[in-house]
Amino acid sequence: MIVEQAARLNPPARKPIHHILLSWLLAMASLFWSRGAVLGIIAGVWVVTLIVYQFPVQATLSLTDQPSPVRILWAYPPEAATVGGQRWTSSHATIIVPGVGSGRVWVRLRFFGGAQDGAGRVLTIQSGEQTVVRTPIRPDWQEIRLLTPLEAIDATTGDLALTLAIPPFTVIDDERVLGVSLHEMHVSVVPDSPWMPIERVGRLALIALLLFWSLRATGLPIRWSLISVGAAFLGLAWLIAGGNGQDMALRLQGALAVAVLVQVLPITLALALIVLGATSAWGWRRVQLWAIAVRGAVLLIFTLRLAGLMHPQFVPIDHGLRAHQLLHIASGREFLVRDQLEQQWEWGTSEPIPYSLLTYYLLLPLTLIWQDQSALIGAVKVVSSALEAGVPLMLWALLRGAPLQNAAAAGASLCYAALPAGYLFFHDGSFPTTIGIWLTLLALVAVRWIVANHEATGGSVSVGARRVIPYVLGVGLLASAFGAYVTHIAFVPFLTLTLAASLYWLGGAPPLRRAALSIILTLALALPIGWALAYASYTRTLIERTIPAFLGLIAAEGSVGQNSELFFGTPINSFAEHMVAHFRVWPAALAAVTLVVLFIRARSSFSMHLGLAFTVFLAATSLAERWFGLWNKHMVFAAPGIAMLAGIGLAWLWRRGWAGRIVCVGLLLYLFGASTFAWANRSLWYILPPEAL
């Protein structure tokens, strides 16, 4: 008591800014030096690199697959042929095989020489300025075998580049100017020296150091950071070595992974330092393990999402379209974008569907920096990945006061980071839904603040800046979430009203009842604002055209948006298929059990009421899907609620000793494995199971 009184009478003096800056610099120096661990990492990378590039890898690579790790510049799209596939080049084409290694390479190229009129043309194959082969070709299938010079491989990346030049020819009824028709190439590396170019070692060392520093920024101890980096780098080294069978295809994927990580990990490190600075004052020093898990989940989501989007084999869907629309809006032609977006053919009607441009407006500042569409696509990918990565921090805020709150936040964060729903939805560039869910969670954090204020004051009403701020934020964020995307017109009010009803009828205590009334008032103020911001121009159209069209479809066909042929032939999922495809079942099952336990033991906790609201939302929308096709929008919207409840369940299991911890780790590893396998298939080969759309 005496110490507290003395502290109030003599508050500690604020440190001068130069002391704060010096402390920060020393902390950063300590993090980056990590007791000299960086020197060990560099030495280890150098040794491993020397070893892995000595394996004589080889493979037969198709030149007609798309997507493919092999890039062919100035060539036409693949087409069918008697041998299974072919790809015509123009008069000049370049074949780039990534990360072949170091040394000389035996190449056997199989191609078709063209029509009889093109017989005797001379094919020249060059590496840089040096001519490797110059030979006449036949109008038939043939092979050329050559040994590349050392200069053919790029010292920094290890890429092999061969340029094909040939006098072109044309055929009747084909406007293309044709060179030769490629089929496949066999590549076999002959290592010539145990010494690797310093540029190659430098890139790999940079990846290891960036990963190490990012892990250290989460609070992970040096030993575990080194173990994690070592495991990750050995996996990458295994790919570069060609796996157990010295397969060149694995080395190519390792090379592409290096190219992606060099781009992604510097941003990951910057994000890690920002998250560390933002969360260091959250009182997590006593619960360091859980803080590491939450920060780690942020970095996992960001790095895995962005790495998949940035992979050279990633096939974009709406990414280019969204960037093009952003540039249209920035140049004052938003009417073109609105006319395009309001025609949602998958709903089975040509009547306008309300489509908000609010999320586009939030990203408009990017167009001030990046006017080029390709650069803007990359910027949108980074921003949308960062917003998605912020979900664990909001889950932590929502779980304040929950049973085992810190452990529950860690479990919820890791569970959300591993849910297949996030990866499988994130692939198509639908940033309006991503931003809409992010705004919804922010609004729920403001609602949690309102409830906490009522609990702190015993339900009494008081006026003051700290009391008013959560209401202002709640109105603004609920209005923004409501206006973010068309499905949020129903999703946001339903979830918020269900939460308020649960607090009022099941909370029991007067403060929770008053909080429920405050939430309803906040929502009542937010909805007209959100409608005015996003949908006001659609009001008359909705009443006179869109709603009658939907009612007519339901009366005539029994449902709206259930015709799979209108949406790329994608089948409509049953509830069970949704659970398997988007959650792999166990998080949803654990969430249900957790909700029952919370209802019995902790009915007054906010997490119980919010979890119940998400559960009722998921049940109601799954039932509504019988008449109104939601595809997977409701599953992705419910994913944070499922993760939150499952996180509390994981926290309870963790406290049950080693058996419980083994179960927790096993469940999360299974979920991460399933998600990363699905995400890798989508990013590399564009393989996406229809039931997951």
Side-chain angles (χ1 to χ4, degrees):
M1 181 67 69
I2 295 175
V3 174
E4 294 175 358
Q5 291 175 350
R8 285 195 295 267
L9 293 173
N10 300 292
R14 181 174 295 181
K15 291 183 179 180
I17 187 65
H18 65 276
H19 283 185
I20 297 174
L21 181 60
L22 180 60
S23 298
W24 182 84
L25 290 174
L26 290 174
M28 289 299 99
S30 175
L31 185 149
F32 285 111
W33 178 244
S34 292
R35 300 178 185 175
V38 292
L39 298 179
I41 291 173
I42 294 172
V45 167
W46 182 72
V47 172
V48 172
T49 304
L50 290 182
I51 295 172
V52 297
Y53 277 109
Q54 301 311 306
F55 289 89
V57 295
Q58 60 180 345
T60 299
L61 306 172
S62 172
L63 301 179
T64 62
D65 290 343
Q66 278 191 329
S68 169
V70 180
R71 287 188 297 149
I72 306 177
L73 308 180
W74 304 295
Y76 299 102
E79 56 191 69
T82 56
V83 297
Q86 63 181 8
R87 188 171 186 181
W88 283 100
T89 71
S90 57
S91 59
H92 286 76
T94 300
I95 303 173
I96 301 175
V97 186
V100 167
S102 179
R104 308 186 73 181
V105 182
W106 280 107
V107 176
R108 187 173 71 246
L109 184 66
R110 179 169 172 77
F111 62 94
F112 183 69
Q116 187 65 40
D117 295 342
R121 293 179 301 148
V122 176
L123 172 66
T124 303
I125 300 179
Q126 294 178 304
S127 172
E129 299 297 325
Q130 183 175 349
T131 299
V132 183
V133 169
R134 183 177 175 85
T135 180
I137 62 171
R138 309 185 310 274
D140 197 358
W141 287 102
Q142 55 208 282
E143 291 184 354
I144 289 180
R145 193 167 187 265
L146 57 98
L147 181 64
T148 66
L150 294 175
E151 297 77 12
I153 295 180
D154 185 271
T156 301
T157 64
D159 295 353
L160 169 67
L162 296 174
T163 299
L164 282 61
I166 189 170
F169 77 100
T170 58
V171 296
I172 300 174
D173 298 329
D174 193 336
E175 298 179 353
R176 297 177 299 177
V177 176
L178 303 176
V180 295
S181 182
L182 304 173
H183 176 57
E184 66 182 20
M185 66 186 298
H186 183 83
V187 180
S188 179
V189 180
V190 183
D192 69 313
S193 168
W195 304 105
M196 291 299 301
I198 190 64
E199 299 93 338
R200 193 92 47 82
V201 178
R203 278 162 61 93
L204 293 170
L206 177 63
I207 289 172
L209 290 174
L210 288 170
L211 181 57
F212 174 75
W213 289 329
S214 298
L215 292 173
R216 291 286 294 125
T218 67
L220 197 65
I222 295 175
R223 177 186 299 177
W224 287 106
S225 297
L226 286 173
I227 291 173
S228 301
V229 170
F233 191 77
L234 286 177
L236 182 60
W238 182 82
L239 286 177
I240 294 174
N244 297 331
Q246 283 77 64
D247 185 357
M248 171 69 76
L250 293 177
R251 174 169 289 187
L252 303 189
Q253 290 304 325
L256 293 178
V258 170
V260 171
L261 292 174
V262 165
Q263 299 178 68
V264 172
L265 286 180
I267 313 175
T268 299
L269 177 58
L271 178 64
L273 295 175
I274 292 171
V275 171
L276 176 63
T279 60
S280 59
W282 285 7
W284 274 357
R285 297 195 177 189
R286 297 186 303 275
V287 286
Q288 183 74 354
L289 175 62
W290 314 128
I292 292 169
V294 175
R295 292 173 185 144
V298 172
L299 301 189
L300 273 172
I301 293 173
F302 178 80
T303 305
L304 292 179
R305 300 281 207 279
L306 186 59
L309 294 175
M310 300 290 283
H311 197 281
Q313 289 180 226
F314 183 83
V315 177
I317 299 180
D318 286 346
H319 304 82
L321 173 65
R322 304 287 188 188
H324 187 65
Q325 291 168 340
L326 275 172
L327 292 172
H328 267 315
I329 296 172
S331 61
R333 297 192 297 269
E334 69 177 53
F335 64 93
L336 296 175
V337 177
R338 194 180 295 276
D339 290 343
Q340 183 182 38
L341 290 174
E342 66 186 18
Q343 294 299 318
Q344 300 287 312
W345 302 107
E346 62 267 27
W347 300 115
T349 178
S350 59
E351 298 296 342
I353 306 296
Y355 204 104
S356 170
L357 297 182
L358 176 63
T359 55
Y360 286 83
Y361 297 146
L362 294 176
L363 294 179
L364 271 185
L366 297 178
T367 62
L368 299 176
I369 305 173
W370 295 279
Q371 286 82 32
D372 176 70
Q373 182 170 333
S374 177
L376 184 59
I377 291 172
V380 171
K381 287 178 178 179
V382 172
V383 171
S384 55
S385 298
L387 292 177
E388 177 80 352
V391 171
L393 300 178
M394 288 183 277
L395 288 174
W396 175 84
L398 290 171
L399 284 165
R400 291 299 295 263
L404 308 173
Q405 60 177 17
N406 294 306
S413 300
L414 292 173
C415 185
Y416 184 81
L419 284 179
Y423 295 92
L424 296 178
F425 180 81
F426 199 74
H427 76 98
D428 67 352
S430 292
F431 68 75
T433 305
T434 299
I435 296 176
I437 295 173
W438 184 78
L439 288 170
T440 302
L441 291 174
L442 268 183
L444 289 174
V445 172
V447 168
R448 176 71 184 94
W449 193 355
I450 292 172
V451 175
N453 278 352
H454 278 278
E455 291 174 327
T457 60
S460 62
V461 179
S462 60
V463 178
R466 296 191 62 183
R467 303 301 181 191
V468 173
I469 288 174
Y471 291 96
V472 175
L473 289 176
V475 170
L477 290 169
L478 281 171
S480 301
F482 176 76
Y485 193 69
V486 58
T487 54
H488 287 207
I489 296 175
F491 288 2
V492 172
F494 185 90
L495 181 69
T496 309
L497 287 174
T498 306
L499 171 61
S502 177
L503 287 166
Y504 189 87
W505 295 108
L506 301 177
L512 294 183
R513 290 194 171 190
R514 294 191 180 93
L517 296 176
S518 297
I519 293 170
I520 294 173
L521 176 61
T522 304
L523 180 66
L525 293 173
L527 293 186
I529 296 174
W531 187 268
L533 287 173
Y535 306 115
S537 61
Y538 287 104
T539 303
R540 187 171 179 178
T541 304
L542 270 173
I543 296 172
E544 296 180 355
R545 297 171 57 184
T546 309
I547 294 176
F550 282 168
L551 294 176
L553 280 171
I554 292 174
E557 302 178 9
S559 64
V560 174
Q562 296 279 17
N563 186 345
S564 64
E565 296 306 318
L566 296 175
F567 197 57
F568 316 113
T570 303
I572 304 300
N573 291 336
S574 66
F575 180 77
E577 289 170 331
H578 273 308
M579 290 296 103
V580 173
H582 294 98
F583 301 112
R584 294 301 189 269
V585 180
W586 77 255
L590 182 58
V593 173
T594 302
L595 181 61
V596 172
V597 176
L598 285 174
F599 184 81
I600 296 172
R601 297 185 178 180
R603 193 177 301 183
S604 62
S605 69
F606 178 81
S607 55
M608 194 287 295
H609 299 285
L610 182 57
L612 179 62
F614 269 111
T615 303
V616 173
F617 165 83
L618 186 58
T621 51
S622 297
L623 182 64
E625 199 178 24
R626 296 180 59 185
W627 299 279
F628 201 93
L630 295 172
W631 307 99
N632 67 355
K633 296 289 192 295
H634 56 315
M635 292 291 159
V636 178
F637 190 87
I642 296 293
M644 183 189 71
L645 288 172
I648 298 174
L650 289 172
W652 276 333
L653 282 173
W654 189 267
R655 288 171 60 90
R656 296 298 180 268
W658 284 107
R661 296 180 183 185
I662 290 172
V663 170
C664 289
V665 172
L667 290 173
L668 287 172
L669 286 177
Y670 163 73
L671 201 59
F672 269 111
S675 295
T676 44
F677 180 76
W679 185 229
N681 269 334
R682 165 60 183 97
S683 299
L684 300 183
W685 313 115
Y686 199 18
I687 298 174
L688 192 65
E691 66 272 10
L693 281 172

